[in-house]
Amino acid sequence: MGWKNGVLLAASLIFYAWGEPVYILLMLVSVGFNYICALGIDKGGSDRFLRRIWLVLGIASSLIFLVWFKYAAFLANSFADIFSLSLHMAEKKLPIGISFYTFQVFTYTVDVYRKKAAAQKNPAKLLLYVSCFPQLIAGPIVQYADVARMLDSRPFSAARFSEGARRFAVGLAKKVILANLCGAAISRIDPADPAYLVSTAGAWYAALMYTFQIYFDFSAYSDMAIGLGRLFGFDYKENFNYPYISGSITDFWRRWHISLGSFFRDYVYIPLGGSRCTTRRTILNMMVVWSLTGMWHGASWNFILWGMYYGVLLITERFVIGRERMDKIPYIFRLPVIFVITMLGWVLFYHTDLSLAFRQIGAMFGIGFNIQLIDPLTSAVIRKYSVLPLIAAVASLPVLPALKKHSGQGGFTEALSYAAATVLMVLSAVFLVGQSYNPFIYFRF
C-alpha cells in the first residue's frame, strides 16, 4: 500500500499544482500544522486543558486562511459601508477548493480530539487524505474518521474498477451534456444582465434552467469523484440522492449536498446543543448553522440570505407546521410546492446583486415596471431548447435505480450498463470538442 499511496499522493499534488502552483504551499502549511496539533492532542492524554489548547490552535490554523482569502475583503468592505468609511479592500483570488479541503483538515483535528480516530503518525497519509485529487476541488467533503482505515488498506478489483468507470461516465455526461446545455439556455436570457428586460416567462424559464444546471453540474462532479475514488479503492459517501423529488424542505436537505449537511450537523449544530435545548435555543442554533451554510458558499449577502431563507423554512416546517401535518398533505401536492420553493432559493443563489434577484422574483409573479408575459428572446430560446426541460426533469428522477431494480443483476443487464456507459463517454467527448472551457459551478466555493 505504501507505493500506491505514494503514487496517488504525487499525482494529487501535481494535479493541484497544475492549477494553483503557488497556493499548494497554503494547503501544505495547513496540513502540516494540523498534523502537529493532532499529535499534541494525542499526547495530551487526560489533560483536557492541554488537549483543548492544541484543538483551538488546529481549528484556528484551518480557518485563518479560509477567512483571509474568502471573507476578509467582504467583512472589511461591509464594515466600511455601515460606518461610511473611505476604506476599500480588494478581493483576493480564491485558491481552488479551499472551502472543501479546509473542512477536511478541520474534521481530522476534531475527530482526533473526540477520539473518533487516532492521530495519524505518517504525515504523508494525512496529506493524501486532504489532497486526494478525485474530491479535492469540489467535494464531496470527506470526514477523516470515514476514510482513516482506507489510507492503510483498501480493496482493488476488476469489478470495483468497472463500477467506478461507469459512475465516472455518468457524471461526465451529466456535466458536459445536461448541465452545459442548461447553462447555454440561461446565457441567452441571462436575468443577471441589467440590460435584459426580463419577462414573466423568461424569469421562470431562467430559474428552471438554473435549477437543473446547478444540480447536474454539482452532482456530476460528485459522481466523477466517487467513481474515481472507487478506482483507487476509496468508498466516498453519496453526496446527492435525487433532491428534486423531495416532499419537504427537510427532505430536500437530506438529499442535497449531503456531505456539507453532515459536516454542519456534526461539527456545528450538535456542539451548539442541537435539538437538546429549549425551543428558542434550538431555533437560534438552526439560524446560526444556516447562516454559516450560506456564508460557506461565498462572501456575498445573497449567499447569507439564501442560507437564512432555508433556515426560516426549516424552522417553519418543524415548529409551525409540524411534521405530522406535513405528512398528512398528499405527496402529489407537496412535490410541486417544494420544487417552486427550491427554484426561488436558486434565484437568490444565482444573483450576487440582490436587486437583480428581487427583480427576477418579482417578474416571476408579474410584479415590476412594464413586465411582459413573454418577450421575443425568451420565446426563441424556448423553441430552440424545447425538449431540454423535459429531458432534464426525467434525468433528475430516480429512473436508473428503478430500471436496475426491475431488470435484476444478470449478465445482460451488466452488458447493457457497459454499453450505456460507453455511449455516454463517446457523446461526452463529442460535446467536449465543441465546447469552450466551462468549469464546475462549485469550483468557486
Side-chain angles (χ1 to χ4, degrees), residues 28-353:
L28 293 174
V29 169
S30 179
V31 172
F33 196 81
N34 275 269
Y35 170 75
I36 295 170
C37 290
L39 290 178
I41 292 170
D42 191 50
K43 292 180 180 178
S46 59
D47 189 337
R48 294 184 63 185
F49 177 76
L50 182 60
R51 286 167 55 83
R52 285 182 178 177
I53 290 294
W54 283 114
L55 174 67
V56 170
L57 288 174
I59 291 175
S61 68
S62 296
L63 297 180
I64 191 168
F65 293 130
L66 180 64
V67 171
W68 175 251
F69 281 94
K70 193 168 184 177
Y71 303 109
F74 170 71
L75 294 173
N77 295 334
S78 296
F79 181 85
D81 290 341
I82 292 172
F83 294 98
S84 302
L85 302 176
S86 57
L87 169 69
H88 178 76
M89 184 175 181
E91 291 187 6
K92 294 173 173 53
K93 181 183 177 183
L94 191 66
I96 294 175
I98 188 171
S99 296
F100 290 93
Y101 75 69
T102 295
F103 275 19
Q104 293 193 187
V105 175
F106 182 101
T107 70
Y108 165 68
T109 308
V110 175
D111 284 352
V112 171
Y113 177 80
R114 292 175 173 176
K115 299 184 179 179
K116 287 178 62 178
Q120 179 58 254
K121 301 300 191 294
N122 187 338
K125 288 183 180 179
L126 179 61
L127 183 57
L128 175 59
Y129 154 67
V130 175
S131 66
C132 194
F133 75 88
Q135 46 76 46
L136 171 63
I137 300 301
I141 299 168
V142 179
Q143 297 184 19
Y144 180 75
D146 293 333
V147 298
R149 176 185 54 80
M150 301 174 202
L151 295 171
D152 297 319
S153 176
R154 51 188 184 273
F156 296 93
S157 67
R160 287 179 61 86
F161 187 92
S162 63
E163 184 183 353
R166 281 180 288 180
R167 184 66 179 269
F168 180 87
V170 170
L172 183 63
K174 286 167 74 172
K175 166 58 182 172
V176 302
I177 300 175
L178 292 173
N180 285 3
L181 282 176
C182 290
I186 296 169
S187 67
R188 297 286 301 276
I189 50 169
D190 186 5
D193 182 359
Y196 172 55
L197 298 177
V198 63
S199 63
T200 296
W204 278 103
Y205 188 79
L208 179 64
M209 288 296 96
Y210 187 69
T211 296
F212 287 130
Q213 182 196 10
I214 195 167
Y215 168 65
F216 290 120
D217 188 283
F218 192 20
S219 67
Y221 189 94
S222 293
D223 286 338
M224 286 190 277
I226 291 169
L228 285 174
R230 200 149 293 168
L231 297 182
F232 299 115
F234 289 98
D235 290 316
Y236 298 136
K237 292 183 176 179
E238 294 295 333
N239 208 24
F240 289 88
N241 184 22
Y242 301 99
Y244 294 152
I245 66 169
S246 302
S248 67
I249 298 300
T250 301
D251 189 31
F252 174 79
W253 277 103
R254 287 173 180 158
R255 296 172 176 272
W256 178 274
H257 203 171
I258 299 169
S259 62
L260 182 67
S262 298
F263 175 89
F264 277 108
R265 181 196 65 214
D266 296 342
Y267 297 95
V268 181
Y269 183 66
I270 291 176
L272 286 174
S275 302
R276 302 187 304 274
C277 311
T278 62
T279 299
R280 183 176 298 180
R281 178 61 185 273
T282 299
I283 290 173
L284 176 61
N285 291 344
M286 291 177 71
M287 287 306 300
V288 168
V289 165
W290 286 100
S291 297
L292 291 174
T293 300
M295 281 197 70
W296 178 86
H297 285 86
S300 178
W301 287 110
N302 71 301
F303 294 121
I304 297 173
L305 185 60
W306 176 78
M308 295 177 69
Y309 169 80
Y310 275 107
V312 170
L313 287 171
L314 288 164
I315 289 167
T316 302
E317 199 171 83
R318 179 172 177 179
F319 295 104
V320 178
I321 301 175
R323 293 176 183 173
E324 291 185 1
R325 289 179 183 173
M326 282 289 295
D327 291 340
K328 289 180 180 178
I329 303 173
Y331 174 75
I332 193 67
F333 296 128
R334 285 185 282 133
L335 178 64
V337 172
I338 298 303
F339 187 76
V340 169
I341 289 173
T342 304
M343 285 176 61
L344 294 174
W346 289 132
V347 173
L348 290 176
F349 192 93
Y350 180 78
H351 294 278
T352 53
D353 186 335

